[in-house]
Amino acid sequence: MLAALAFGAVVAGGAAGWLMAAQLWFAFVGTALVLVDASVRRLPLHLTTAAWVGLAVLLSGATVSGQSWSVAVRAVAGAAVVGALFFVAVLLGAAAYGDLKLSPALGGLLAWTSWQAVAAGLVMSVFLAPLLVLGAMVLARPPGRRALRPVFAVAALVVPVVGGVVVARVTGLGVLGGIAAWVLVVAEFTVVLLAQHRLVRGTKVAVGPALVAGALLGSVLFS
């Protein structure tokens, strides 16, 4: 079900050709990463490697097929820049080693579209992590409402997305308006988490899924 949702988001994004294939590949591997990370709090090496190796193969195919070399250079540079950022984050204790292993795939996919997509994808990832933590807190209680847990989980992800789309259409600000709305909505959830003194510990747990979702959304929105 999660994979079907991710594939649907890619198709709805309207990308074509090699870029769409790259998004679908990332959605496929990313779904496995999210489920494994949610289960055992790990991002397996063979899956993170598959993510960036698959993207590298598709990017090479696109370049050989006539895509501008500037796109390939930008994608490689994006992978290097995002990888360097996560290397620093690991040294500072703000990210885990698994996040570092996944970072080249994130940077490559986002930079394939544009540098703007790189910035947007990283911002959405950062602000999505607290939202996922709040969703986990809601799912954990009350135990008497277990049947509603899937509803809460979907709502936690759909609300900021729908809010962003509405703001983008009403204000005419386009994708940037949607991202601004996303940030504002998630910031409100962050305040709630800060009030409960559970932000730092919980957010680190949610970083992996947030990175996958943020990167895929950033690529789809800007493609």
Side-chain angles (χ1 to χ4, degrees):
M1 291 174 64
L2 183 60
L5 181 63
F7 292 162
V10 170
V11 174
W18 291 97
L19 177 57
M20 181 179 225
Q23 292 174 346
L24 289 172
W25 174 254
F26 188 82
F28 175 68
V29 179
T31 297
L33 284 168
V34 167
L35 295 177
V36 172
D37 193 36
S39 176
V40 297
R41 303 292 184 259
R42 292 290 186 274
L43 295 176
L45 178 61
H46 62 282
L47 288 177
T48 56
T49 301
W52 64 261
V53 168
L55 291 176
V57 170
L58 292 169
L59 179 62
S60 300
T63 304
V64 171
S65 299
Q67 179 178 263
S68 173
W69 277 92
S70 62
V71 175
V73 172
R74 187 176 64 225
V76 173
V81 169
V82 174
L85 288 175
F86 273 87
F87 179 74
V88 174
V90 169
L91 293 180
L92 296 176
Y97 181 61
D99 305 322
L100 174 61
K101 294 183 294 183
L102 180 62
S103 61
L106 305 179
L109 177 65
L110 291 167
W112 190 326
T113 302
S114 66
W115 286 112
Q116 192 179 27
V118 175
L122 291 178
V123 167
M124 284 190 288
S125 296
V126 169
F127 282 94
L128 181 58
L131 181 60
L132 293 178
V133 176
L134 180 64
M137 291 168 58
V138 171
L139 296 181
R141 57 187 180 183
R145 297 182 180 177
R146 292 177 181 175
L148 295 177
R149 291 182 180 183
V151 177
F152 286 133
V154 173
L157 294 175
V158 170
V159 167
V161 175
V162 173
V165 172
V166 171
V167 171
R169 292 185 178 277
V170 172
T171 63
L173 295 178
V175 176
L176 291 180
I179 294 174
W182 176 287
V183 172
L184 289 175
V185 172
V186 178
E188 295 179 7
F189 287 116
T190 304
V191 172
V192 175
L193 293 174
L194 284 171
Q196 298 192 22
H197 306 289
R198 298 181 63 177
L199 176 64
V200 176
R201 178 175 60 84
T203 300
K204 286 185 178 181
V205 174
V207 167
L211 290 176
V212 173
L216 188 60
L217 284 171
S219 177
V220 168
L221 287 173
F222 282 83
S223 60

